[in-house]
Amino acid sequence: QVQLVESGGGLVQAGGSLRLSCAASGTIRSILTMGWYRQAPGKQRELVAGITFDGKTNYADSVKGRFTISRDSAKNTAYLQMNSLKPEDTAVYYCNADAIHTNWVRSEFWGQGTQVTVSS
């Protein structure tokens, strides 16, 4: 099995910064992509940012220029640096990983979510 453990959420004022971390562990052979999604109350879960095994990134238009995704492949960890936070960034943030197990089975995994609240 693969576990994703997120950390770094919290309460911050508008204009502030937070850094989220997501550490993957378990029966991992390799991780193809890692990403961050978010879900605000009453809204659908949406992709915030993603990063491939070779470092290619993509971002939601709403966070371009403010958020940066990165990963440490040696540690199977992804990070989301969030700057210039806005109240509309308030949501539960979920880590996602597309991974290949040690038995060569490919699966998608989700973390438990971490709350990010931005006050105005």
Side-chain angles (χ1 to χ4, degrees):
Q1 269 291 12
V2 174
Q3 297 82 37
L4 302 180
V5 178
E6 300 130 332
S7 60
L11 173 64
V12 64
Q13 288 188 332
S17 299
L18 284 174
R19 187 188 193 217
L20 305 182
S21 299
C22 173
S25 62
T27 55
I28 301 168
R29 180 173 297 276
S30 63
I31 297 178
L32 303 177
T33 63
M34 295 188 79
W36 290 95
Y37 289 71
R38 67 186 180 188
Q39 187 167 19
K43 294 188 177 181
Q44 289 190 331
R45 189 174 297 188
E46 62 174 357
L47 174 67
V48 176
I51 186 166
T52 64
F53 69 96
D54 56 353
K56 294 183 177 66
T57 61
N58 64 293
Y59 297 92
D61 288 343
S62 59
V63 306
K64 283 181 181 176
R66 300 188 297 122
F67 291 10
T68 302
I69 188 171
S70 60
R71 66 187 284 180
D72 183 335
S73 295
K75 296 181 179 180
N76 286 333
T77 300
Y79 306 95
L80 185 67
Q81 179 66 44
M82 305 185 293
N83 299 328
S84 302
L85 282 161
K86 304 175 181 179
E88 51 264 43
D89 294 318
T90 296
V92 177
Y93 284 69
Y94 296 91
C95 179
N96 172 275
D98 182 4
I100 297 178
H101 293 264
T102 50
N103 63 1
W104 294 103
V105 173
R106 180 177 176 179
S107 300
E108 185 179 28
F109 296 92
W110 292 91
Q112 79 284 359
T114 185
Q115 177 70 47
V116 171
T117 303
V118 184
S119 62
S120 57

